[in-house]
């Protein structure tokens, strides 16, 4: 039945094209028996062919397109839409370190260089920020329907060490998310970026992307993406997008609080260090005692000696507090930032889907509608055959463009479905973050508690003297001293 329908469709097109050409040649070109007997009816019939074809031809559907390569249409085993990777498998794909190169291309020169080391490729290469930019552009070009994490901002005038360090951390998060992403991890661009040690990695990356096309053009499943999607894919997309938005907002608040906790620990370390230094300065004071205080000179001398020694313990306390703050920055705040970067890339992908693929599809449909009206007007007004032929050629091209856009739209939803699963595969990272936070608090307080306990006996000399029976104060109960 499909073959018969297709045959009649092609027949109508042939008749319409014939009519378009003959309409402009005048009656001399019409066969004599037709021109003499049915001159007007023949012209009207040809115009009817064109009008019927343009009026009744539907907007091209995806199902009408046949792939010239039958091998690409074979149904794969299982459902390729489903991802089976766990968080542990994702993390095990690779771990990439990004470190500033000390003493080379320093912080006050034109640019900063980074040493990028990959466990998977057992490689260590030097990269500049602009190398990351080109790599990022290649990923967007080859994988427009995947979560490509954003890069940190470019260097601004007067960038200080804090900015350089924040950007280094952001670049490390970016490259680790990319190196652990299933499609990205198998792409040649990633291997080049992490292992190519030649002089110009940017040109090498661009050369690798020439004449390759994006993922849609290289994926064998792209023409059949619609077949794997659930019937309510649009509803699922809307619900997933709202869920990810809510998760992002909550994790953003958690990150802000974790940053404040880590910052307070570092501030506490600075305060403890200054506190100990002030005690040491007080114990080292060489101002002589006035004569009227000479009776207590021995007490003040022993007190100063004790105060001077306390600076060591407070310096140790400060060091423990700083370690706790740094550990919370690395194990808690950085992991929260990593997950936030992933969620933000998902939000960006949803925007690209709506403002990119869907918008282009709507524009293509609108352009197709305009062309049909132009073709109809040309047929009725008996324009030159060349212009009518050009219009028909443009309509055919637009039909193909619409078919391609529809296929891309379904493939974009296909990729979005997989990327949503990937986000959920990262959700157990929450337990890692909470575990790191709890362990940091336990370890930090345990170590600081030991130093405080070691410090307490040393306070006894502060209350000892020839005429004093005072002892160090004990714990308070109900707001009163225990003694």
């Amino acid at each position: 039945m499909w073959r018969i329908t297709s045959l009649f469709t092609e027949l109508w097109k042939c008749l319409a094209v014939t009519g378009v050409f003959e309409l402009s040649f005048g009656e001399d070109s019409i066969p004599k028996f037709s021109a003499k007997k049915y001159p007007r009816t023949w012209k009207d019939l040809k115009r009817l062919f064109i009008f019927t074809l343009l009026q009744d031809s539907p907007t091209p559907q995806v199902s009408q397109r046949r792939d010239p390569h039958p091998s690409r249409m074979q149904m794969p085993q299982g459902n390729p839409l489903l991802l089976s990777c766990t968080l542990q498998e994702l993390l095990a794909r690779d771990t990439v370190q990004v470190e500033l190169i000390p003493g080379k291309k320093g912080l006050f020169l034109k640019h900063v260089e980074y040493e990028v080391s990959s466990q998977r490729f057992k490689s260590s290469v030097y990269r500049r920020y602009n190398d990351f930019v080109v790599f990022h552009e290649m990923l967007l070009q080859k994988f427009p329907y995947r979560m490509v994490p954003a890069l940190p901002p470019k260097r601004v005038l007067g960038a200080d060490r804090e900015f350089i360090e924040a950007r280094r951390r952001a670049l490390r998060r970016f490259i680790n998310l990319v190196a652990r992403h299933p499609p990205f991890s198998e792409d040649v661009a990633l291997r080049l970026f992490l292992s190519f040690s030649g002089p110009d990695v940017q040109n090498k990356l661009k050369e690798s992307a020439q004449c390759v096309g994006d993922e849609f053009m290289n994926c064998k499943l792209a023409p059949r993406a619609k077949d794997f999607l659930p019937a309510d894919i649009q509803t699922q997309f809307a619900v997933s997008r709202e869920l990810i938005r809510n998760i992002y907002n909550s994790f953003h608040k958690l990150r802000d609080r974790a940053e404040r906790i880590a910052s307070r620990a570092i501030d506490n370390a600075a305060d403890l260090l200054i506190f100990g230094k002030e005690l040491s300065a007080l114990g080292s004071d060489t101002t002589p005692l006035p004569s009227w205080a000479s009776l207590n000179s021995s007490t003040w001398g022993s007190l100063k000696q004790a105060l001077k020694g306390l600076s060591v313990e407070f310096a140790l306390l400060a060091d423990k507090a700083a370690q706790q703050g740094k550990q919370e920055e690395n194990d808690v705040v950085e992991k929260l930032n990593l997950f936030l970067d992933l969620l933000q890339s998902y939000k960006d992908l949803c925007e690209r889907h709506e403002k990119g693929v869907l918008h282009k599809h709507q524009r293509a449909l609108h352009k197709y509608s305009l062309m049909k009206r132009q073709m109809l007007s040309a047929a009725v007004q008996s324009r030159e055959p060349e212009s009518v032929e050009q219009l028909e050629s443009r309509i055919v091209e637009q039909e193909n463009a619409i078919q391609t856009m529809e296929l891309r739209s379904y493939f974009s939803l296909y990729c979005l479905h997989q990327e949503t699963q990937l986000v959920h595969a990262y959700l157990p990272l929450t337990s890692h973050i909470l575990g790191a936070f709890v362990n940091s608090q336990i370890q930090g307080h345990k170590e600081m508690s030991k130093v405080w306990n070691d410090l307490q006996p040393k306070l006894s000399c502060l209350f000892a003297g020839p005429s004093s029976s005072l002892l160090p104060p004990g714990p308070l109960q109900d707001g009163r001293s225990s003694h």
Side-chain angles (χ1 to χ4, degrees):
M1 184 65 185
W2 180 85
R3 293 179 180 275
I4 296 174
T5 304
S6 178
L7 180 62
F8 275 103
T9 300
E10 296 301 321
L11 176 61
W12 275 102
K13 286 185 178 181
C14 291
L15 289 171
V17 172
T18 304
V20 168
F21 273 91
E22 291 185 356
L23 276 173
S24 303
F25 291 133
E27 294 188 3
D28 293 338
S29 62
I30 304 175
K32 291 185 178 180
F33 66 89
S34 302
K36 290 181 178 179
K37 192 172 183 179
Y38 304 107
R40 293 186 176 274
T41 307
W42 176 244
K43 287 184 179 180
D44 293 341
L45 181 60
K46 287 184 291 186
R47 289 174 179 169
L48 178 63
F49 287 155
I50 300 172
F51 180 83
T52 306
L53 174 64
L54 294 174
Q55 192 70 18
D56 296 338
S57 60
T59 301
Q61 300 296 321
V62 176
S63 58
Q64 294 175 351
R65 175 173 175 171
R66 290 178 293 173
D67 198 296
H69 305 289
S71 61
R72 291 180 51 160
M73 304 297 289
Q74 296 176 357
M75 183 73 70
Q77 297 296 325
N79 190 350
L81 185 64
L82 302 179
L83 293 178
S84 58
C85 53
T86 64
L87 176 62
Q88 293 302 326
E89 291 171 341
L90 290 172
L91 297 179
R93 284 177 178 264
D94 199 358
T95 297
V96 184
Q97 297 297 334
V98 178
E99 302 294 341
L100 287 170
I101 299 178
K104 188 177 181 180
K105 312 294 185 187
L107 300 179
F108 302 104
L109 296 180
K110 291 183 178 179
H111 65 267
V112 178
E113 271 194 319
Y114 304 92
E115 183 178 8
V116 182
S117 305
S118 166
Q119 287 186 2
R120 175 187 174 190
F121 296 108
K122 297 178 175 57
S123 60
S124 181
V125 293
Y126 293 161
R127 295 289 179 259
R128 293 174 54 183
Y129 176 78
N130 287 338
D131 298 332
F132 282 90
V133 172
V134 173
F135 178 56
H136 182 262
E137 291 172 353
M138 294 300 101
L139 288 177
L140 283 174
Q141 177 181 324
K142 298 177 75 172
F143 299 97
Y145 312 121
R146 299 289 182 180
M147 294 186 298
V148 180
L151 284 176
K154 290 185 177 181
R155 183 178 181 180
V156 296
L157 291 176
D160 55 11
R161 292 178 180 272
E162 185 177 349
F163 172 84
I164 297 296
E165 173 61 17
R167 192 171 70 174
R168 182 195 68 80
R169 289 173 177 265
L171 291 174
R172 184 178 62 184
R173 297 195 301 269
F174 163 80
I175 194 61
N176 275 284
L177 285 174
V178 170
R180 295 164 182 170
H181 191 285
F184 300 165
S185 63
E186 304 303 323
D187 191 70
V188 64
L190 177 69
R191 179 182 293 272
L192 282 172
F193 186 81
L194 292 179
S195 61
F196 179 72
S197 57
D200 195 349
V201 68
Q202 296 184 24
N203 282 335
K204 199 72 175 176
L205 287 170
K206 293 175 182 178
E207 289 173 3
S208 69
Q210 287 180 354
C211 304
V212 174
D214 62 9
E215 186 184 10
F216 170 79
M217 299 177 66
N218 295 300
C219 180
K220 293 182 179 181
L221 296 176
R224 298 294 303 275
K226 180 182 179 182
D227 299 338
F228 303 109
L229 296 174
D232 59 342
I233 182 61
Q234 296 292 351
T235 302
Q236 289 191 24
F237 168 60
V239 173
S240 296
R241 189 177 187 182
E242 181 64 23
L243 174 62
I244 299 303
R245 183 186 294 113
N246 294 337
I247 293 175
Y248 177 87
N249 292 336
S250 295
F251 269 83
H252 197 280
K253 294 175 182 177
L254 288 173
R255 192 277 314 275
D256 289 347
R257 296 299 167 180
E259 278 185 340
R260 293 180 62 180
I261 292 172
S263 179
R264 281 200 297 267
I266 295 174
D267 290 343
N268 185 36
D271 291 339
L272 287 169
L273 187 61
I274 293 174
F275 193 90
K277 287 182 177 179
E278 290 300 325
L279 289 177
S280 179
L282 186 62
S284 302
D285 186 80
T286 58
T287 306
L289 284 174
S291 58
W292 57 269
S294 59
L295 293 176
N296 297 316
S297 60
S298 59
T299 303
W300 175 239
S302 59
L303 184 62
K304 287 201 300 180
Q305 189 64 30
L307 291 175
K308 188 187 300 184
L310 294 180
S311 62
V312 177
E313 280 73 15
F314 276 94
L316 186 57
L317 285 168
D319 182 61
K320 298 296 183 183
Q323 287 180 15
Q324 181 180 348
K326 291 296 183 182
Q327 184 178 355
E328 288 170 356
E329 279 186 347
N330 294 328
D331 296 342
V332 181
V333 177
E334 269 303 289
K335 288 180 180 177
L336 285 169
N337 279 326
L338 178 79
F339 192 51
L340 283 172
D341 289 349
L342 179 74
L343 296 176
Q344 182 62 53
S345 66
Y346 182 87
K347 293 171 63 180
D348 295 341
L349 176 62
C350 292
E351 266 192 50
R352 288 203 303 274
H353 173 74
E354 286 192 338
K355 296 183 179 180
V357 179
L358 296 183
H359 182 65
K360 288 179 180 178
H361 188 197
Q362 291 172 355
R363 286 196 332 188
L365 290 174
H366 178 68
K367 186 176 180 181
Y368 178 76
S369 176
L370 291 177
M371 287 182 176
K372 285 182 64 176
R373 287 200 292 268
Q374 290 176 3
M375 186 68 180
L376 180 60
S377 175
V380 173
Q381 297 176 13
S382 302
R383 292 185 181 177
E384 293 295 326
E386 291 83 2
S387 62
V388 177
E389 183 182 18
Q390 290 175 0
L391 277 172
E392 182 172 80
S393 176
R394 288 169 57 195
I395 287 177
V396 173
E397 290 177 0
Q398 194 64 17
E399 286 177 352
N400 293 333
I402 291 173
Q403 289 177 349
T404 301
M405 289 308 304
E406 287 179 343
L407 289 174
R408 282 187 175 273
S409 180
Y410 285 121
F411 186 67
S412 178
L413 287 170
Y414 175 93
C415 294
L416 262 170
H417 197 291
Q418 289 189 331
E419 300 301 275
T420 304
Q421 297 175 65
L422 189 60
V423 170
H424 284 270
Y426 267 96
L427 280 174
L429 190 64
T430 308
S431 61
H432 292 232
I433 296 170
L434 290 176
F437 177 66
V438 171
N439 290 336
S440 172
Q441 292 291 320
I442 292 174
Q443 185 68 20
H445 285 85
K446 181 179 179 180
E447 292 180 358
M448 291 188 70
S449 177
K450 183 179 183 304
V451 179
W452 284 117
N453 288 329
D454 292 342
L455 178 61
Q456 189 175 24
K458 298 181 179 180
L459 300 180
S460 58
C461 62
L462 298 177
F463 303 92
S467 59
S468 174
S469 59
L470 292 177
L471 296 174
L476 296 178
Q477 295 179 352
D478 299 328
R480 294 175 296 179
S481 174
S482 60
H483 60 276

